[in-house]
Amino acid sequence: MEDVLDVYTRPYNASHPLICMDEGGKTLQAQAHDPLPMRAGQAEWEGDKHEWERTCSVFLAVEPLAGKRIIEARARRTKEDWAYFLRELIEIHSPHAKKIVLVMDNLNVRTVQPSATR
């Protein structure tokens, strides 16, 4: 834990951005009933009953020292989905970085092999 805290105290370096990444499953829901329209002095009422629709995965990357965030929803949460998100993070959002300092939790879909190319 102390190693991670030390990483957070580093000064901003555009060629070595600090990026925090996480993902999680979300349940998508729909309203069970149409909302009641607004009336004078009252807001629209939506009710508290919802119906389950399906699930999705939300991938999130935050570069706190630069004030950036990247959020993407995907239908699944597989190794391939995680790898595509990470590739987009590297190639599209950090193309000039010499090295990315990546902070993330230990999700079971990940197996990262060190690469000498980046």
Side-chain angles (χ1 to χ4, degrees):
M1 182 64 158
E2 288 81 15
D3 292 338
V4 173
L5 294 175
D6 287 342
V7 169
Y8 285 121
T9 62
R10 295 178 185 173
Y12 177 70
N13 183 342
S15 66
H16 293 77
L18 166 66
I19 298 177
C20 307
M21 186 179 153
D22 201 3
E23 75 293 311
K26 298 295 176 195
T27 300
L28 304 178
Q29 299 177 346
Q31 292 177 336
H33 307 286
D34 290 334
L36 298 175
M38 288 190 295
R39 292 188 222 158
Q42 291 183 334
E44 179 180 74
W45 185 81
E46 295 185 0
D48 59 357
K49 296 200 187 300
H50 295 88
E51 296 174 350
W52 181 82
E53 289 273 314
R54 61 181 191 265
T55 60
C56 74
S57 290
V58 177
F59 291 84
L60 170 69
V62 178
E63 190 178 345
L65 300 176
K68 295 181 186 176
R69 70 176 175 262
I70 299 117
I71 302 168
E72 186 174 314
R74 292 182 169 259
R76 302 172 303 149
R77 189 173 140 202
T78 65
K79 290 179 185 180
E80 291 81 14
D81 293 305
W82 179 82
Y84 281 118
F85 182 74
L86 195 56
R87 178 185 228 173
E88 182 179 303
L89 183 66
I90 294 166
E91 294 178 355
I92 296 172
H93 299 285
S94 305
H96 303 294
K98 292 180 182 177
K99 178 180 181 180
I100 293 175
V101 179
L102 187 62
V103 177
M104 59 187 174
D105 66 354
N106 296 319
L107 181 68
N108 59 351
V109 299
R110 292 196 281 268
T111 304
V112 177
Q113 299 298 324
S115 172
T117 61
R118 195 79 152 150

